[in-house]
Amino acid sequence: MIRVVFAALVFSLAFQYAYESYIYPTYAYGHFRYFQQTPTQYILNYVFVALPLAMWRPSMEPSAFGVSLIYAICYIPVQIMLPFMLDQAFSPVLTMQSAICVSMACLFLASRMGAVSGIQKQPIDGRLNLLILMFAGVALVLLVAMNFQHMRLVSFADVYDLRLDASEQQSIGAVQYLNSWLYYCFLPFFIARGIISRHWKSLAIGLVGCLLVYLASGAKAVILMPLIMLMIWFVLKARAHFLFLLLSGTAAATIVVLFFPDDSALSWGKSVLLMRTFATGGWTVSLYYEYFSANGYTYYSHIRIVDVFTQAYPYGQRSLGQMIGMEYSGSDLANFNANFWASDGFAALGMWGIPIVTAALCGFLILVNRVSSYFDSEFISLWMSGFWLALLNVPLSTAILSGGGGLIVALLWISRLQLPESIAGRAVRVPA
């Protein structure tokens, strides 16, 4: 526990220095802000970073790995950035930090609940592999057929032109869901199978699929997914020491990339890690709170099924991310999607939205642990990398539906039903 807290504080210090020396000076034009903090506020920031770890325990459950990613990649940067971004002294910034702190502690607690024991772990059924292969094949064929006219290999600097071309292609809702599942569920499945089982055909399918997605849509997260999943696998192998290695790795990576010259070929890596990966969470949480507190909450009508019944969504045809794009960049072509704290929390109901989305996510974490208990936790954790990445960037409902979370749970449940009753019947719930 002590070394995990120490690693978290080291990463916090490294990220704070990165924000003050690189992120804010470089991206101030993009509404990254720097309001001076008092020594007391600095201390409180580190207290908020450490407090949720009181609820953390080493765990091998898939949800525990996901929550660890949320803590390292999103929670710590959010706590460090909120006082820099919002010029409101201790309140409501202090209230916001407290609410998110309690939420993180609840997620740590829920992430080790719901699992069952007393059973022998089973391999993923071959029929599931065939089913996913069929869906992935259809999705890739449709992807190429609808985008082949503009597909091209571009640098990260030119990726937005490719995205603009891709956005002009019309597609029906079913195809959009299938494409999204391809990114976050099907391709990660093959990459995970290739890495863990040394199944090179599966790995090749995953790699080629990620390349085709990038050629068609310019999705940086997808082309980087094999590398991200490989790094996650390295720390997953540490098992109970996963969080310590994750925090140590993020701290070391932050310090290293700060030495990359801004005018060198390595500058893109500096930008992707520090601004796009770490700082975006704090930026969106701050600006979502600021904008929707002033312009009106959605009361969860941003969730499509809720709006179908209530017709209460107040922002017309524009999504939450597009409203932020209009306000802070002057264009609704800029779609700043945000994590569950920002979208399902502050945009939906202000401060009161945080406990609601926390309860919903805790329930889903427990469900994930339950249905995955019959299978290898390392494989499930790695397979769900796409879902966890989606959860860091979109609302919870979107991550579950479009981001593959609900589909993975359904596929695991179906696979569990195929197990012999002699195996499934011996399940015993693990005490919380």
Side-chain angles (χ1 to χ4, degrees):
M1 171 68 78
I2 294 177
R3 64 176 186 169
V4 171
V5 173
F6 178 76
L9 294 177
V10 170
F11 175 47
S12 301
L13 287 166
F15 178 75
Q16 179 185 308
Y17 179 75
Y19 187 84
E20 294 179 312
S21 64
Y22 169 73
I23 298 170
Y24 166 70
T26 306
Y27 299 102
Y29 69 88
H31 293 275
F32 283 87
R33 302 165 181 166
Y34 187 88
F35 292 111
Q36 192 66 45
Q37 299 183 46
T38 66
T40 302
Q41 182 66 67
Y42 278 118
I43 294 173
L44 283 173
N45 293 343
Y46 302 132
V47 170
F48 283 125
V49 165
L51 276 178
L53 292 173
M55 292 292 102
W56 171 81
R57 298 292 185 276
S59 174
M60 298 306 301
E61 306 307 325
S63 290
F65 292 120
V67 170
S68 295
L69 291 173
I70 293 172
Y71 177 76
I73 297 174
C74 185
Y75 176 79
I76 290 178
V78 165
Q79 290 289 16
I80 296 300
M81 285 180 62
L82 276 174
F84 284 120
M85 290 290 296
L86 299 176
D87 185 23
Q88 301 179 61
F90 289 100
S91 181
V93 171
L94 184 61
T95 306
M96 295 170 67
Q97 289 181 292
S98 300
I100 296 174
C101 177
V102 173
S103 174
M104 190 71 246
C106 292
L107 297 181
F108 271 132
L109 179 62
S111 69
R112 47 192 170 87
M113 298 174 61
V116 294
S117 64
I119 55 175
Q120 181 180 357
K121 298 293 184 180
Q122 301 297 308
I124 292 295
D125 189 274
R127 288 168 291 185
L128 177 60
N129 179 66
L130 180 60
L131 179 64
I132 293 177
L133 181 61
M134 292 172 55
F135 277 111
V138 172
L140 285 172
V141 169
L142 291 173
L143 178 78
V144 173
M146 298 177 66
N147 295 277
F148 74 94
Q149 291 180 332
H150 65 259
M151 288 178 68
R152 60 189 184 272
L153 184 63
V154 298
S155 67
F156 280 7
D158 299 323
V159 75
Y160 297 101
D161 293 332
L162 178 56
R163 290 182 182 179
L164 182 61
D165 293 338
S167 68
E168 296 175 355
Q169 301 298 316
Q170 300 294 324
S171 63
I172 61 177
V175 174
Q176 291 176 340
Y177 269 107
L178 190 60
N179 284 338
S180 187
W181 291 340
L182 176 68
Y183 311 158
Y184 298 117
C185 176
F186 302 151
L187 294 179
F189 174 87
F190 291 113
I191 296 170
R193 189 164 182 250
I195 292 175
I196 292 180
S197 301
R198 304 295 196 274
H199 195 276
W200 306 123
K201 289 183 180 179
S202 292
L203 184 60
I205 293 172
L207 294 175
V208 171
C210 288
L211 177 60
L212 290 174
V213 169
Y214 182 75
L215 294 176
S217 64
K220 291 185 287 187
V222 177
I223 194 64
L224 292 174
M225 187 171 293
L227 178 60
I228 294 171
M229 291 181 65
L230 185 62
M231 292 188 294
I232 291 176
W233 177 67
F234 278 125
V235 291
L236 274 175
K237 291 174 68 65
R239 304 182 77 80
H241 305 293
F242 173 80
L243 182 55
F244 171 72
L245 289 183
L246 178 63
L247 292 168
S248 300
T250 52
T254 299
I255 295 169
V256 168
V257 299
L258 282 172
F259 288 98
F260 292 175
D262 292 337
D263 56 352
S264 71
L266 296 174
S267 61
W268 70 268
K270 189 175 184 178
S271 173
V272 167
L273 182 69
L274 297 182
M275 191 279 285
R276 183 62 186 89
T277 303
F278 294 151
T280 295
W283 186 87
T284 52
V285 165
S286 303
L287 297 188
Y288 267 60
Y289 172 82
E290 180 178 83
Y291 180 83
F292 291 102
S293 294
N295 294 278
Y297 303 129
T298 69
Y299 300 100
Y300 296 98
S301 61
H302 64 275
I303 301 174
R304 185 171 301 178
I305 188 64
V306 175
D307 189 46
V308 166
F309 287 102
T310 65
Q311 298 292 305
Y313 185 66
Y315 298 106
Q317 297 301 312
R318 293 192 174 99
S319 67
L320 300 181
Q322 287 176 313
M323 296 308 301
I324 297 300
M326 284 289 295
E327 178 71 14
Y328 296 100
S329 70
S331 171
D332 58 4
L333 293 178
N335 189 353
F336 296 109
N337 292 320
N339 60 65
F340 59 95
W341 283 317
S343 53
D344 297 315
F346 293 134
L349 205 58
M351 295 290 186
W352 290 107
I354 300 300
I356 293 175
V357 70
T358 300
L361 181 52
C362 284
F364 185 77
L365 295 173
I366 294 171
L367 178 62
V368 167
N369 286 344
R370 176 68 176 177
V371 300
S372 64
S373 296
Y374 300 86
F375 308 101
D376 177 55
S377 61
E378 185 178 346
F379 173 79
I380 303 301
S381 299
L382 193 59
W383 179 16
M384 294 193 72
S385 298
F387 166 72
W388 300 124
L389 293 176
L391 188 62
L392 294 173
N393 292 282
V394 297
L396 174 61
S397 57
T398 304
I400 291 176
L401 296 176
S402 302
L407 181 61
I408 292 174
V409 167
L411 291 172
L412 289 174
W413 184 259
I414 293 171
S415 296
R416 181 263 181 204
L417 293 178
Q418 302 299 318
L419 295 177
E421 185 62 29
S422 60
I423 295 175
R426 291 203 300 269
V428 179
R429 184 177 298 276
V430 175

